[in-house]
Amino acid sequence: MAHPANRNDARNGLPMKKICFFGDGLTFGVGDIEQGGWPARLCRQEAERVQDLQVYNLAVPTQTSADIAARWRAEAEPRLTGVVRSGVVFGFGLSDMADSDDQGIRVPLPETMAWAERIIAEAKVWRPVLWIGPAPVLRSAEARDEGGHWVAYSAARLAALNEAFRTLAAELAVPYLDLCAALGDNKAYRRALVAGDGVYPTPAGHALVAEAVAAWSAWHDWFPRQRTTAAAKRDPNAFQPIEFRRVVNEDKVQTAIL
């Protein structure tokens, strides 16, 4: 098994070829089903540069950290085993903090942290890992019916979870994107939440999440950008490769091959 510190060397600076996404409703794309949510929006951009990029969105709405811990490895292994240029992205926590049927939150914070540590610690020694924190929700978000249960979300609980996640990620030396910090004061994201249901944004909000991830240095490590300088001159006699673009089947963006 390759040591985590050597994985970038093993890729020789080349971009990822296969990625698995695990998470809950936001990662699944609730509010943006036609476009596949922020993971599909993000990876369509990369698919324009990376030939045969394969992306598997394995998120499930309403699933908690405990649910994801029970299944992620079994679902990721057959898709990524044997592929050096592959990684796993996690984005969960919202469902853990949901109050279900006024009986208290689904997963108490200490239990969520234990599950999160188990997931991330195991994943990081197997494949490169990126951890996306929960996105902001409106304080005024109303309770809603989810699968026959009356569910309420709290911006304060989510903010506390985000802080705990960020601390754990630093301890585990895993890149963590704080979406609460990135989007908390973003007026456009707030409008997307207002136009949505207060918890999940409209497609415009998913586009903003994709932009935040695309601008993240850890994502750039997975998909290095070519550096150009104004002084560089192209040799007119040098071989010029033809750029091939893979056509994206929009109907199958959820099933994951971009």
Side-chain angles (χ1 to χ4, degrees), residues 12 73 94 100 137 143 154 179 194:
N12 293 319
R73 186 69 180 261
L94 175 65
S100 182
V137 301
S154 164
L179 285 181
V194 171

Side-chain angles (χ1 to χ4, degrees), residues 6-230:
N6 297 328
R7 292 222 184 89
N8 285 337
D9 293 339
R11 289 195 290 117
N12 293 319
L14 295 172
M16 290 293 189
K17 294 290 284 185
K18 287 189 176 184
I19 305 174
C20 287
F21 285 83
F22 290 92
D24 48 32
L26 186 69
T27 305
F28 177 81
V30 174
D32 188 30
I33 298 302
E34 289 186 2
Q35 294 296 321
W38 67 263
R41 289 174 176 270
L42 174 68
C43 292
R44 273 198 294 271
Q45 299 174 23
E46 304 301 346
E48 294 181 358
R49 302 186 304 108
V50 181
Q51 188 175 5
D52 295 326
L53 173 63
Q54 296 185 29
V55 179
Y56 304 91
N57 191 336
L58 303 170
V60 177
T62 77
Q63 281 207 335
T64 66
S65 56
D67 297 321
I68 294 166
R71 69 179 178 88
W72 79 265
R73 186 69 180 261
E75 295 182 19
E77 279 193 337
R79 294 172 169 88
L80 304 186
T81 295
V83 182
V84 173
R85 292 157 56 187
S86 62
V88 186
V89 179
F90 293 98
F92 56 84
L94 175 65
S95 294
D96 289 59
M97 296 294 101
D99 185 331
S100 182
D101 296 326
D102 206 23
Q103 298 297 310
I105 61 175
R106 285 173 172 153
V107 185
L109 182 58
E111 292 182 23
T112 295
M113 297 308 299
W115 286 120
E117 183 171 7
R118 174 178 168 179
I119 292 168
I120 303 301
E122 180 183 349
K124 67 170 285 192
V125 299
W126 181 64
R127 284 291 184 277
V129 169
L130 297 181
W131 192 359
I132 312 295
V137 301
L138 294 181
R139 287 188 172 87
S140 58
E142 297 182 355
R144 80 283 312 285
D145 178 79
E146 291 184 359
H149 296 278
W150 201 242
V151 178
Y153 295 90
S154 164
R157 285 198 300 268
L158 203 61
L161 178 68
N162 176 63
E163 286 298 317
F165 275 179
R166 188 169 61 176
T167 299
L168 177 60
E171 292 173 356
L172 296 175
V174 169
Y176 181 79
L177 180 59
D178 185 343
L179 285 181
C180 286
L183 300 174
D185 294 327
N186 189 308
K187 294 181 180 179
Y189 191 76
R190 179 178 177 81
R191 287 195 297 270
L193 284 173
V194 171
D197 62 10
V199 174
Y200 298 111
T202 59
H206 280 270
L208 290 170
V209 175
E211 288 178 11
V213 179
W216 187 25
S217 60
W219 184 257
H220 291 181
D221 288 341
W222 280 23
F223 292 94
R225 271 54 176 170
Q226 290 184 343
R227 297 179 181 178
T228 58
T229 61

